[in-house]
Amino acid sequence: ITTWEGGVHLTYDQLLDSADQEGLAVKEVSLSTHDGLIRDKCIAIRKDIPTQAKKACVLAEELEHHYTSAGNILDQSKTENIKQEQKAQMWAYNKQIGLSGILSAYQYDCRNLHEMAEHLDVTEIFLKDALDSYLLKYEKCTVIDNYMIFFEPLGVVDMNYGIEQRRYLL
């Protein structure tokens, strides 16, 4: 099975431009319980988020809520709200990392979560959550182009060289 998942990775500024093109206003404000929220055509991002990478991860997810969610889903005790949250998260993971991002980290010779997150310009928590989601989605492994990605432990095989050439990323 050949699978391809995005991984276009957009910077915070590029995501702001994308939001603007969609007619969405993004404001950095004081938020006490969430890093980001969307309501109608307004996205609020917690203003004291310390890094551009973290802001990009939050904004990517809020943009995906614009495309994939309906109504107020803050109450995560409701199954439908949980599903909408997970869908937006997966879209954000695919946009900011994707299988192509895992391959890029492999080709860049990243050897641990920190190096991968730095290379992909995402937070380690966002990357870990994405990898956990990919493990649930794909189970043991998936194929992209001529590479096999294993999710537990995370590793990549260039199928031109065979399984004995598997290199572990984590």
Side-chain angles (χ1 to χ4, degrees):
I1 299 172
T2 301
T3 307
W4 178 262
E5 293 288 346
V8 294
H9 179 72
L10 299 174
T11 66
Y12 184 61
D13 288 336
Q14 290 169 320
L15 288 164
L16 287 171
D17 289 342
S18 180
D20 187 55
Q21 290 172 5
E22 290 294 321
L24 300 171
V26 178
K27 301 286 184 201
E28 293 188 23
V29 298
S30 295
L31 293 174
S32 57
T33 58
H34 295 87
D35 286 337
L37 294 169
I38 183 168
R39 183 172 181 192
D40 299 323
K41 295 260 184 191
C42 297
I43 296 174
I45 303 292
R46 187 170 50 86
K47 70 179 177 181
D48 60 347
I49 292 174
T51 66
Q52 292 292 92
K54 171 76 173 176
K55 285 181 183 182
C57 294
V58 171
L59 183 52
E61 183 178 330
E62 295 309 318
L63 281 170
E64 296 313 323
H65 278 300
H66 170 70
Y67 299 117
T68 65
S69 302
N72 181 340
I73 65 166
L74 292 175
D75 182 354
Q76 289 293 293
S77 66
K78 296 180 180 176
T79 303
E80 181 56 36
N81 292 353
I82 292 169
K83 287 179 182 179
Q84 288 189 60
E85 181 68 25
Q86 290 172 337
K87 185 175 184 180
Q89 288 171 340
M90 184 59 88
W91 277 81
Y93 299 150
N94 288 339
K95 179 172 279 179
Q96 294 303 101
I97 300 168
L99 298 178
S100 62
I102 295 170
L103 286 183
S104 175
Y106 164 79
Q107 293 163 342
Y108 194 75
D109 206 24
C110 295
R111 296 291 181 171
N112 56 50
L113 194 68
H114 176 76
E115 288 178 5
M116 285 183 70
E118 193 171 273
H119 171 69
L120 297 168
D121 200 26
V122 297
T123 66
E124 288 182 39
I125 292 169
F126 187 85
L127 176 58
K128 174 83 172 79
D129 290 345
L131 294 172
D132 289 345
S133 292
Y134 293 151
L135 175 62
L136 288 173
K137 180 177 181 177
Y138 298 110
E139 297 179 359
K140 293 181 182 183
C141 64
T142 191
V143 174
I144 174 174
D145 295 335
N146 211 33
Y147 296 90
M148 185 173 289
I149 300 173
F150 291 85
F151 293 101
E152 198 169 57
L154 185 63
V156 176
V157 172
D158 181 337
M159 293 187 315
N160 290 316
Y161 300 105
I163 194 81
E164 64 278 355
Q165 298 298 317
R166 182 188 317 194
R167 188 164 40 123
Y168 294 98
L169 298 172
L170 300 180

